[in-house]
Structures are given as structure tokens and as C-alpha cells.
């Protein structure tokens, strides 16, 4: 069997993560990064990567693409792109606006069913692997409690919120799980934990010349939804320090389920990720699921899927007998 | 839709675990514990549980059973029972002799395909949930290393080995992961760990009257395969203390995968279980997969399966739209 041929649409941090991940999988081949920019202006990470105009994808013209991994943003790109490209290609996206998942799923499902393609939405680690572990935890311990902790890692949404404040030139925000809350969840006592008890927020802020740190501080800690319900620390630094010490994109987190199977008999399931690079790991997850999508498509299984619908064996390059012999 | 009706064959610790688990799932109903003993001699844990003779299962006579959970031992019961009962029923077993899984799978697959039933073998937490996490780890971090640690928990096989030594009246053996080895695996440095470095073995031994503790100790620590490659501690105690302090069946363990996605960028995935009762948790896992088997059977999907082949959504009682809305 030939290699599964992957295309990447959109070449930000996540697209680069997918590019690197394909290199690690011998059964997969990158046929190109598709960009809406001038291809000659895009320098790929790896020397062998072809950069092609996104217009080549229109009307299904890029017939060397088995699966297209769409690496756009959830706010405006993916709601438009995924249903559109699902008319011509098998697709994978990382749509992560939880509240809009049912609507996005319906749109993509309609497009892919009508056109006989296979689509996976909302893939990555949350939504994605953390969702899987929430499902497994609820299935195996139906009488119990769920806990999800994120971090330590940079929250893009909260960093953007800081940068929108007047007088802020640049900023990064780390979400940090509170160790005592993690330990309480691990204890199996099913504690009730408030928002403030679970996470703290750490801000690294570069001020514009003449901005008043006092006012910026007050605006941050009182910002509704983003910061007002949390214990927040704010550190003012210069741009050089921000670029030097806060350019990496580590992330991770914990999904716990604790529950009882009979009076006084409790169990704790814990899943955790410790990631040096959020986009590289997310890209690697999308890449394994792109393999699964190619296989589902080859079996004639069309329409939209989530990670909940995909049997684990589709993620691995070897066949089921080999998996049973060596991994079960 | 009516409840899914479960039968239990074999009523040891695991069968009792399944009985308790069914109580926690409103969409499932226990139609009976089937036993080869005199049913009137078997006292169920829960007052509502019917105890029925195993002979009622012969020739598919027990037509109120949607899925039969077979709770026998892997050494002699399951290799005979699972293919046999798969001729009449959808079945789930916890066959855990890793080396013989391909052979057992083939036998069960033949029986269930020929007779249009659905069978899941080797379910539980290892094989089972730990296997799933080994697969996920390899799929998402193909360039990496695997680590499985068991414990702290009682190993039945090692406890049996102790009891076979001349002069030993009774014994329990705990397998204990070495904290330093766990930390090394968590560091992301992909260390190579020897058998001795990963686990220690702790023995609690009751001697027969007049037995020589020195000789028993030497026999234990030099026993090939079981103890000679490990650091072992041996504690001689009396039966009363063994019964009082070592009757519980806690267990658990850790599956780690660490790997890199590019030069110098590494990630660690960790999955862990901390179980007050190994048979109750295993019973709960078998019960969730019994639900999945009933659904696969209703979809006309026959033959043998493992946890690798089952899409996660089949494990939950609610439908896929609800899962997407609330758990993704």
C-alpha cells in the first residue's frame, strides 16, 4: 500500500506542528502546505516541504491529497473552511469553541455526507484526548466526579485579552493548576472545587511608554470572565525579557475521574499531559487522526466524526493482529 | 428502549464486581448469576440477584441474556468457556494471558462469526485500559519510549507462587513501583530501566508450624522469573495479621509514553489508576464494555473484538449528539 498523502491548509504554529509530525510517521507523506499568502513568501520548516497556493485546492483540483488537515482558527476560519473543503476532501480540524461544536458538526456532516467525504472535527488534546478521558472516566466510574485542570501553559485567549488593554504593548498569560486542588481531586474524596481554588493566572506584561501600571493592574484583575474569578499575579517586564523567557509554548493538564463502585470503595483515574510545545503535540495528534480518517474513507465511511466515534486501532499504522499480539 | 440484560457466568470476586457495577448503570439489568455450583448454596451480594444453574445457558436456552460476562480464570476456564458460550450469546471476557491472546482471539472469532454473535476478549485494565493507553501513546508520540508500572497492588500469580513453597501456610505479595524510576520516566529523558529498577516485591508470609524461615526466605528470593530479578522484602506474620491487614485487593499502576516531536522538544503522557478494589474496578470496566457489545450486536457487527476495535462512544448510555454537546 502506498503512503497516505496529507495536505496542510494554513501555516501557523499548528501547521508547522503537523509538518514535523508527518516526518515521524513513515506511512504518511506531506504533499504540500497550502497557503493563501504568496507561496514564494512562505519558508517551510523542512527543506522538502512544497508550498502551494490555496487556490489549487478549489474544486478538488489537488488530486494528490488523501486528507487535508485544516490548521485555521476556530473563531472565523474553521466554521467557513471545514464545510467548504469537505465538499472535495477528507478533512481534519481542531475546532475548539466548545459551545459551537454541535452547529459546526452539523455543517460539516451535511457537506461531507452530500459529497462522500470523511471529516473529523474538534481533534487535538482539549477538545480531543481530554474529551476521550472524560468519556472513559464516566463510563467506567458512573458514580463519581470529573476534574479537568489545565497548565502550566500559555492561554492564547487570556494573552489576547491582556493585549487588548489600553497601555499594554505585549503580554503572555500562564494558566496554572493549584497543587492543593489537584491533590484533593486525587484523594478520591470527590471534593467540590471552585474556579478560584482550581487555577491561578500569571501575567507577564510589557507596558507602552507612559502607561500607568496601577491602572493596568486594576483592569486586569477586575476583567469579567477572564480574570475576576481567579487569583492573579501580574509581572511587568520589558519586551526583551518577554521574548527571551516567554516565547516557548509549553502546555498540558490533567483529567481526573474519581468514583465509587460500592460503599467505601473508591477509585481514581488520572490522565495527564506535560507538553514542551502545545502546537507540536496538537499537530502530532491531528496527524495520527488524519491516518484514521484516510482509513475510514477507504472503508466508505462518510460524514462527520469526532474522536468519540473512532476505534483506537485506526490510529496506528500496523494491522489489528499485530496490535493484539504486541500491544494488548 | 428496554434495558440491556446482562448475565454473569462464574461468581468469584470478579463476578461480584460486575454485579455491583450493573447496579450503578440504569440502562443495564442483571438477569442472573449463572453458577456450576448448587444455586441454593450461592449467596449473592445484592438481595435482588437471581442465582441460576449454568446448565440453563446451554444451547442458548437463557433467552433473556443480551450479553454474558464470563468471569472465569484465564488458565483453564476462559479458553474453553468463551468460544463455547459465543456460539449462543454475545460475550465479554477478561482473558489476560498475554502470550495466548492471538490464539484465544482466533478461537472466539471463529465461534462468534459462525453463529452471528459479538464477542469482546481481554477486557479490563491490563489488558484493557492500559493497552489502550499504550496504543494512544505510540500513535501520538511515535518517536518515544513506553513505560508500564504496576502497583501498589496484590499480584495473584506471585502470591500463588509463595503459597506453593514448602512450609508456607498462606501469603500475599505486593508489587510496588519504584518512585525514582517513575520520576525518571516522567522526566521525558526516555531512560532505559531494568526490571530491578522498576518494581520491588513485598511478601507477607505465614509459616506452617516448624517451618524454617531462613530456608523459606532463600527459596523466595532465588525463585526464577518470579523473584530473582527483583529486590524483595519478606515479612513473616501470623494468619490473624494476614487476614486483618492484607485481605483488601487494592491495585493500580501507570502507563507512560515520552517522546519527541522535534529536536529538543519532548512530551510526556501519563495514565494512572489508583484502585481500592481490583475486582470491583475490573468488573465496572467489563460492564461498560458489555453495553458496547450489546450495541455492536444490535448493529449486526459480529465476530471477536478487543478494546482496540471499539469506538469510545459505544461505552456510554447517551447518544453521540449528547456526548458532543456535553463531553467533547
Amino acid at each position: 500500500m502506498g503512503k497516505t498523502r496529507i495536505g496542510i491548509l494554513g501555516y501557523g504554529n499548528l501547521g508547522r506542528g503537523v509538518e514535523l509530525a508527518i516526518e515521524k510517521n513513515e506511512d504518511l507523506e506531506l504533499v504540500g502546505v497550502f497557503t493563501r499568502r504568496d507561496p514564494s513568501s512562505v519558508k517551510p520548516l523542512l527543506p522538502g516541504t512544497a508550498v502551494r497556493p490555496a487556490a489549487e485546492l478549489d474544486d478538488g483540483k489537488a488530486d494528490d491529497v488523501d486528507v487535508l488537515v485544516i490548521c485555521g482558527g476556530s473563531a472565523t476560519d474553521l466554521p467557513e473552511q471545514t464545510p467548504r473543503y469537505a465538499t472535495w476532501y477528507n478533512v481534519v480540524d481542531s475546532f475548539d469553541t466548545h459551545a459551537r461544536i454541535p452547529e459546526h458538526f452539523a455543517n460539516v456532516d451535511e457537506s461531507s455526507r452530500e459529497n462522500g467525504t470523511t471529516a473529523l472535527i474538534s481533534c487535538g488534546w482539549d477538545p480531543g484526548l481530554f474529551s476521550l478521558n472524560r468519556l472513559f472516566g464516566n463510563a467506567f466510574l458512573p458514580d463519581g466526579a470529573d476534574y479537568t485542570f489545565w497548565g502550566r501553559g500559555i492561554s492564547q485567549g487570556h494573552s489576547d485579552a491582556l493585549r487588548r488593554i489600553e497601555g499594554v504593548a505585549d503580554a503572555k498569560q500562564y494558566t496554572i493548576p493549584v497543587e492543593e486542588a489537584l491533590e484533593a481531586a486525587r484523594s478520591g474524596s470527590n471534593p467540590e472545587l471552585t474556579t478560584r481554588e482550581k487555577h491561578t493566572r500569571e501575567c507577564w506584561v510589557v507596558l507602552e511608554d507612559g502607561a500607568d501600571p496601577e491602572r493596568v493592574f486594576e483592569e486586569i484583575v477586575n476583567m469579567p470572565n477572564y480574570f475576576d474569578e481567579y487569583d492573579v499575579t501580574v509581572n511587568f517586564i520589558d519586551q526583551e525579557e518577554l521574548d527571551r523567557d516567554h516565547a516557548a509554548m509549553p502546555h498540558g493538564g490533567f483529567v481526573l475521574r474519581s468514583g465509587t463502585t460500592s460503599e467505601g470503595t473508591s477509585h481514581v483515574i488520572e490522565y495527564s499531559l506535560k507538553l514542551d510545545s502545545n502546537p507540536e503535540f496538537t499537530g502530532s495528534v491531528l496527524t495520527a487522526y488524519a491516518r484514521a480518517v484516510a482509513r475510514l474513507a477507504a472503508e466508505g465511511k462518510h460524514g462527520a466524526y469526532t474522536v468519540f466515534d473512532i476505534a483506537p486501532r485506526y490510529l496506528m499504522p500496523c494491522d489489528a493482529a499485530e496490535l493484539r499480539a504486541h500491544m494488548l
Side-chain angles (χ1 to χ4, degrees), chain A residues 82-322:
Chain A
T82 310
R84 173 175 147 84
Y85 289 101
T87 60
W88 306 305
Y89 302 96
N90 304 309
V91 295
V92 175
D93 83 17
S94 62
F95 185 78
D96 67 358
T97 310
H98 286 262
R100 295 185 61 198
I101 284 174
E103 174 193 344
H104 186 58
F105 184 89
N107 291 338
V108 176
D109 193 46
E110 187 184 345
S111 167
S112 52
R113 274 184 200 281
E114 268 177 20
N115 296 284
T117 63
T118 306
L120 174 71
I121 67 153
S122 299
C123 185
W125 60 273
D126 197 358
L129 310 190
F130 275 20
S131 321
L132 280 179
N133 279 281
R134 285 187 285 263
L135 184 155
F136 285 135
N138 278 268
F140 304 136
L141 293 174
D143 182 4
D146 283 312
Y147 303 91
T148 301
F149 294 87
W150 295 274
R152 171 187 174 105
I154 289 187
S155 160
Q156 211 55 61
H158 286 78
S159 300
D160 289 345
L162 292 176
R163 286 189 287 257
R164 283 194 297 266
I165 294 174
E166 202 188 309
V168 171
D170 202 353
K172 291 281 171 75
Q173 193 265 193
Y174 294 88
T175 304
I176 304 169
V178 175
E179 192 59 39
E180 292 74 25
L182 252 174
E183 286 307 322
R186 282 179 182 138
S187 73
S189 64
N190 295 7
E192 296 220 15
L193 299 167
T194 64
T195 298
R196 190 180 298 273
E197 284 169 333
K198 287 178 68 186
H199 295 93
T200 56
R201 299 197 173 279
E202 186 183 281
C203 307
W204 299 85
V205 176
V206 180
L207 291 174
E208 287 173 353
D209 282 349
D212 174 14
E214 199 76 11
R215 179 192 51 81
V216 170
F217 176 86
E218 290 300 324
E219 278 202 44
I220 294 173
V221 300
N222 294 308
M223 193 187 296
N225 302 318
Y226 284 90
F227 292 103
D228 63 339
E229 290 180 50
Y230 296 87
D231 289 335
V232 180
T233 57
V234 180
N235 306 280
F236 293 106
I237 56 176
D238 61 25
Q239 187 74 47
E240 192 189 335
E241 187 179 339
L242 191 79
D243 294 344
R244 187 190 63 217
D245 298 340
H246 304 284
M249 286 170 284
H251 219 311
F254 305 80
V255 176
L256 290 110
R257 176 80 181 175
S258 64
T260 60
T261 49
S262 66
E263 180 78 31
T265 304
S266 70
H267 314 278
V268 180
I269 307 173
E270 178 171 343
Y271 182 78
S272 72
L273 297 173
K274 201 169 61 188
L275 312 175
D276 273 0
S277 163
N278 184 357
E280 286 190 23
F281 184 76
T282 303
S284 197
V285 173
L286 293 180
T287 299
Y289 274 99
R291 171 188 293 125
V293 163
R295 291 182 173 183
L296 289 169
E299 292 179 7
K301 291 174 177 149
H302 301 144
Y305 292 81
T306 74
V307 294
F308 295 154
D309 306 308
I310 295 185
R313 71 176 165 86
Y314 287 101
L315 296 167
M316 287 290 288
C318 53
D319 73 9
E322 200 177 323

